[in-house]
C-alpha cells in the first residue's frame, strides 16, 4: 500500500491533498456548529479549524493519515474535508472518516461522489482488503447513510471516546471488504446517475 498525497477527481467533485492554504475556505465551510455535534473535535472558527488541519497534517507526516479538501467543481468552492486514517499497510486496511460537508452541499452529489472516489482509490489503487468507518451511536443519520452505501455494521465500541462536552461516546463500526466493493461501486454509480444522493 503506497499511500501518498494524490488528487482524486470526479465529474462533480475534486479531492485535493489538504493544505494549510485551504484554511480560509475550510473555516467558512465548517462554520456551522451543528456540523461538529458528533465529532471529537469542534473545528469552528479560524483557530479551531487551524488546529484541526494541523492535527490532520501531523497524521499525514506520521504516515497514519491522508487528509483531503473537498472541492465542488461547479461552484469552485471548498465544501468540506475527509481523510484516510488508521492506515495499516501490513494488513491492507484503512479507515475513511473525519468527513464533513458544508450544510449547503449536503444531500447533493458531493458526499456520494467523494465516497466513490475514496473507495475506488482504496480498493483499486492501494489494494485494500478492508475499508472501515465509525460513527457516533447517536448519529443515526450517518449510520443510515453507511448502510445505504452498502457498508456492513460490525458492532459497537462501548465507551470509546470522551467528547468535548464530557459525554461518553459509543462508536458504531462499519466496513466494506474487497470482495464487496464491486456491488458497492455499482450502487454508487447508479445513485450518481439517478441523483439519489445521501448525506
Amino acid at each position: 500500500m503506497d499511500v501518498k498525497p494524490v488528487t482524486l477527481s470526479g465529474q462533480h467533485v475534486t479531492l485535493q491533498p489538504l493544505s494549510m492554504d485551504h484554511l480560509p475556505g475550510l473555516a467558512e465551510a465548517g462554520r456551522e456548529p451543528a456540523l461538529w455535534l458528533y465529532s471529537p473535535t469542534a473545528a469552528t472558527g479560524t483557530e479551531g479549524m487551524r488546529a484541526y488541519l494541523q492535527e490532520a497534517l501531523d497524521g499525514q507526516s506520521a504516515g497514519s493519515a491522508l487528509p483531503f479538501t473537498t472541492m465542488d467543481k461547479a461552484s469552485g468552492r471548498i465544501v468540506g474535508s475527509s481523510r484516510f486514517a488508521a492506515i495499516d499497510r501490513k494488513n491492507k486496511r484503512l479507515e475513511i472518516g473525519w468527513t464533513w460537508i458544508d450544510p449547503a452541499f449536503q444531500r447533493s452529489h458531493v458526499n456520494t461522489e467523494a465516497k466513490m472516489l475514496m473507495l475506488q482509490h482504496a480498493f483499486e489503487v492501494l489494494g485494500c482488503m478492508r475499508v472501515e468507518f465509525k460513527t457516533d451511536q447517536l448519529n443515526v443519520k450517518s449510520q443510515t447513510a453507511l448502510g445505504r452505501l452498502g457498508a456492513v455494521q460490525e458492532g459497537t465500541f462501548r465507551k470509546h471516546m470522551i467528547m468535548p462536552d464530557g459525554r461518553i461516546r459509543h462508536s458504531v463500526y462499519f466496513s466494506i471488504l474487497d470482495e464487496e466493493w464491486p456491488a458497492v461501486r455499482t450502487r454508487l454509480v447508479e445513485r450518481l446517475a439517478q441523483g439519489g444522493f445521501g448525506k
Side-chain angles (χ1 to χ4, degrees):
M1 285 175 58
D2 185 16
V3 186
K4 59 187 177 183
V6 63
T7 297
L8 305 177
S9 186
Q11 182 179 353
H12 304 289
V13 301
T14 300
L15 302 179
Q16 295 185 355
L18 185 140
S19 163
M20 199 58 81
D21 292 340
H22 299 151
L23 174 60
L26 287 167
E28 174 64 20
R31 68 191 180 283
E32 176 55 56
L35 278 172
W36 310 102
L37 179 62
Y38 301 112
S39 173
T41 305
T44 50
T46 299
E47 292 312 307
M49 185 60 71
R50 188 191 308 276
Y52 183 86
L53 300 192
Q54 190 59 60
E55 179 204 21
L57 293 170
D58 288 347
Q60 179 175 309
S61 296
S64 61
L66 184 62
F68 296 93
T69 296
T70 308
M71 314 281 297
D72 176 66
K73 284 187 171 182
S75 65
R77 286 177 55 184
I78 289 175
V79 297
S81 182
S82 191
R83 72 183 79 159
F84 292 136
I87 297 169
D88 184 342
R89 291 165 176 82
K90 177 182 176 182
N91 293 301
K92 296 185 177 182
R93 61 182 169 87
L94 53 74
E95 177 181 350
I96 293 177
W98 287 259
T99 302
W100 58 272
I101 298 167
D102 183 328
F105 289 84
Q106 291 181 9
R107 302 199 68 80
S108 74
H109 54 270
V110 172
N111 188 52
T112 302
E113 190 168 57
K115 284 289 192 300
M116 170 82 174
L117 291 169
M118 293 182 77
L119 285 164
Q120 187 169 8
H121 189 73
F123 286 117
E124 299 179 16
V125 178
L126 299 179
C128 287
M129 295 195 306
R130 167 187 170 88
V131 172
E132 58 192 33
F133 309 82
K134 67 177 181 289
T135 187
D136 194 316
Q137 188 179 49
L138 298 182
N139 192 348
V140 176
K141 182 180 176 182
S142 178
Q143 292 172 55
T144 300
L146 286 167
R148 195 167 53 236
L149 182 69
V152 174
Q153 183 174 331
E154 296 183 322
T156 301
F157 279 31
R158 299 177 299 165
K159 291 193 172 180
H160 188 222
M161 299 180 187
I162 300 175
M163 301 296 279
D165 64 358
R167 176 175 67 86
I168 305 300
R169 166 178 152 164
H170 309 296
S171 296
V172 183
Y173 271 74
F174 290 77
S175 72
I176 299 171
L177 305 182
D178 49 1
E179 63 264 29
E180 298 163 344
W181 164 237
V184 172
R185 187 183 193 283
T186 296
R187 186 175 304 175
L188 286 168
V189 169
E190 290 174 350
R191 188 183 303 170
L192 282 167
Q194 296 166 3
F197 304 119
K199 178 182 125 190

